[in-house]
Amino acid sequence: MAYCTADDVVTLLGGEIASGAEDAAADLVDAAALAIDHYVGMSWTGGTVTAEVQTVRCGEIHVDKTPISGVTSVSVQPGYIGAQPRTLVAGTTYQLQDKRHGRVLVSATDGDVATITYTHAPEAVPEDIAKASAMLTAHWIRNAIDPTALTLAKLKAGSAELTYREYTEGWPADVKAILDGYGPAFVMA
């Protein structure tokens, strides 16, 4: 589910773009929502997540989609071949500890494989997240369809000089400024 519409993106791009770019905007708004979810570690699209597999760490499992409104079932099994799963009981052998961050306490050994079914029920999409989604999508489209939007760079070698347009990968600073208020962005080195 997208956090903005293709029309929001078209508005950011000045109101007129080629028809092919409109089709691209419609496709890219979904990709922007997924990218934002990954960046902030939470999502604003809801539904039931069935049989998600997690590893037990420190007596907890952390689900992928947060926030959550409830847990339907949890089973655990030791992490070796032939091990039989054990169904946990709500309130006795598992407990939803932190809805916002998707933490579930479990009576299991560290390293056990947990299978969990839960309901992901986010809040409404905040206006600034919708704006960030439109800005990110517009950034992607602008760089793809308008090479003049790319940064000019120069390369000198002796008396020769080459000027070229450079694509800057990563997140636009204005989008990052919005998203950084929602959660940690993990950088893997």
Side-chain angles (χ1 to χ4, degrees):
M1 183 176 132
Y3 296 153
C4 67
T5 66
D7 289 339
D8 296 333
V9 176
V10 170
T11 300
L12 278 177
L13 291 172
E16 285 189 39
I17 60 174
S19 62
E22 285 179 14
D23 294 341
D27 292 338
L28 287 174
V29 292
D30 287 330
L34 290 173
I36 288 170
D37 291 353
H38 187 263
Y39 185 90
V40 300
M42 62 184 295
S43 177
W44 289 269
T45 57
T48 299
V49 178
T50 305
E52 179 178 295
V53 177
Q54 297 291 340
T55 302
V56 176
R57 298 280 182 238
C58 299
E60 295 182 344
I61 55 177
H62 295 252
V63 299
D64 290 336
K65 298 232 179 224
T66 61
I68 63 177
S69 62
V71 176
T72 306
S73 67
V74 179
S75 66
V76 294
Q77 71 182 60
Y80 58 86
I81 296 173
Q84 295 298 313
R86 177 174 53 101
T87 302
L88 303 184
V89 178
T92 303
T93 52
Y94 80 84
Q95 176 181 338
L96 178 55
Q97 182 69 19
D98 182 350
K99 290 181 177 185
R100 177 158 171 72
H101 297 103
R103 290 180 36 230
V104 180
L105 297 177
V106 294
S107 292
T109 304
D110 283 2
D112 282 358
V113 177
T115 303
I116 183 168
T117 298
Y118 61 95
T119 304
H120 173 241
E123 308 147 0
V125 177
E127 286 183 35
D128 56 347
I129 291 293
K131 180 180 178 182
S133 181
M135 292 164 62
L136 181 59
T137 304
H139 171 76
W140 290 340
I141 291 174
R142 188 178 298 115
N143 285 342
I145 65 172
D146 182 11
T148 62
L150 301 176
T151 305
L152 284 176
K154 291 185 179 187
L155 177 64
K156 286 186 175 185
S159 61
E161 182 177 296
L162 172 67
T163 302
Y164 61 96
R165 302 227 179 250
E166 181 178 62
Y167 177 76
T168 54
E169 294 204 26
W171 295 79
D174 49 354
V175 173
K176 283 181 72 170
I178 293 169
L179 300 181
D180 285 344
Y182 282 89
F186 295 101
V187 178
M188 302 296 241

